[in-house]
Amino acid sequence: MLMCQEKIGKLWNSSVQHAALGDNSFILLYDGGRYACNDIPARIHERIQQEWSKLSYVALGPDKASYFVRFQDGSASWTVTLRLELSKRIHEVWETSRSNVSVVAFEPNNGYFVLFENGSWQYNGLPDDLFEFLKKDLERIAQIDHKLVSANSEWLVSFKDGKRPRWRCGALPPSASSWLLRLHGGDSVSVRSVALGASGCWLVRSNDKN
């Protein structure tokens, strides 16, 4: 995973708009439709090579096979190994309400969380402490901007509604937790993007720093 981190460091700049981490894999989306990646599933690589300039959102799973990709026109492509229920849910919501997927997070042990643009959501296998946090204020779930759970059940969720807390986390690597708390404003800081990978790898981008 160290090599993966080194590659991200060399490719990172202020034009990165979205980042996704997997199991020793990553994809970075830049302004202007460019992207950079490492060790992503072959099927997703084939799809994005065909429409690389239209990418708008990517989620990678912890099993080197699961992924979700959304394009600027709202179309999407995904492979959800052993997550047939998730695939069916995405189809059902699209057929009934024509609502696109807004946020996807793959969980350990075939779990998942998916938020649709109409505010509806589906989940399976969330970490207990994350589920308890979300359950306290169900109305805010529609305002989730980022939500990630790593293969080690580390998690972070952030909101776009401007209310506090703007983000909450659980079992993050100490270095990630310390970095977040050192930022000016603490839980009032807006998280611009977040990604959690394997072996304690993490990436959090705030509104205060690049």
Side-chain angles (χ1 to χ4, degrees), residues 20-39:
L21 302 180
D23 185 1
N24 202 37
S25 60
F26 68 82
I27 183 165
L28 305 177
L29 304 185
Y30 299 88
D31 269 340
R34 297 182 303 111
Y35 76 94
C37 62
N38 179 72
D39 198 26

Side-chain angles (χ1 to χ4, degrees), residues 57-130:
Y57 178 82
V58 179
L60 298 175
D63 53 14
K64 289 191 175 181
S66 297
Y67 68 85
F68 180 91
V69 181
R70 188 181 68 233
F71 298 91
Q72 293 174 7
D73 63 1
S75 63
S77 178
W78 65 87
T79 294
V80 282
T81 306
L82 300 179
R83 294 176 173 85
L84 296 180
E85 181 183 357
L86 171 56
S87 190
K88 291 177 181 178
R89 295 287 190 182
I90 293 174
H91 280 298
E92 287 173 2
V93 173
W94 173 251
E95 290 297 326
T96 57
S97 66
R98 289 295 187 267
S99 181
N100 290 317
V101 170
S102 176
V103 176
V104 172
F106 297 109
E107 321 285 345
N109 303 315
N110 304 318
Y112 60 84
F113 173 91
V114 57
L115 175 67
F116 296 91
E117 290 178 346
N118 65 3
S120 63
W121 55 292
Q122 302 290 337
Y123 73 93
N124 180 59
L126 296 181
D128 292 340
D129 52 348
L130 172 57

Side-chain angles (χ1 to χ4, degrees), residues 27-208:
I27 183 165
L28 305 177
L29 304 185
Y30 299 88
D31 269 340
R34 297 182 303 111
Y35 76 94
C37 62
N38 179 72
D39 198 26
I40 62 176
R43 292 182 64 179
I44 182 179
H45 207 173
E46 293 172 2
R47 178 67 193 274
I48 64 177
Q49 283 181 319
Q50 298 170 6
E51 302 183 72
W52 60 270
S53 64
K54 301 177 182 178
L55 280 170
S56 63
Y57 178 82
V58 179
L60 298 175
D63 53 14
K64 289 191 175 181
S66 297
Y67 68 85
F68 180 91
V69 181
R70 188 181 68 233
F71 298 91
Q72 293 174 7
D73 63 1
S75 63
S77 178
W78 65 87
T79 294
V80 282
T81 306
L82 300 179
R83 294 176 173 85
L84 296 180
E85 181 183 357
L86 171 56
S87 190
K88 291 177 181 178
R89 295 287 190 182
I90 293 174
H91 280 298
E92 287 173 2
V93 173
W94 173 251
E95 290 297 326
T96 57
S97 66
R98 289 295 187 267
S99 181
N100 290 317
V101 170
S102 176
V103 176
V104 172
F106 297 109
E107 321 285 345
N109 303 315
N110 304 318
Y112 60 84
F113 173 91
V114 57
L115 175 67
F116 296 91
E117 290 178 346
N118 65 3
S120 63
W121 55 292
Q122 302 290 337
Y123 73 93
N124 180 59
L126 296 181
D128 292 340
D129 52 348
L130 172 57
F131 179 72
E132 290 301 320
F133 171 67
L134 294 176
K135 190 169 64 173
K136 291 177 180 177
D137 196 351
L138 294 176
E139 292 183 358
R140 290 197 78 193
I141 291 178
Q143 300 298 319
I144 287 177
D145 200 16
H146 303 285
K147 182 207 171 287
L148 280 300
V149 179
S150 75
N152 299 320
S153 294
E154 304 153 341
W155 60 268
L156 188 148
V157 58
S158 67
F159 301 91
K160 57 186 177 184
D161 56 9
K163 298 178 181 178
R164 293 191 182 188
R166 291 192 177 180
W167 55 268
R168 272 294 180 265
C169 61
L172 285 187
S175 56
S177 298
S178 297
W179 188 85
L180 282 166
L181 293 173
R182 281 201 307 269
L183 291 175
H184 295 296
D187 68 4
S188 69
V189 169
S190 294
V191 174
R192 292 175 59 184
S193 60
V194 57
L196 299 174
S199 304
C201 184
W202 58 273
L203 188 158
V204 178
R205 189 176 185 184
S206 78
N207 59 347
D208 292 81

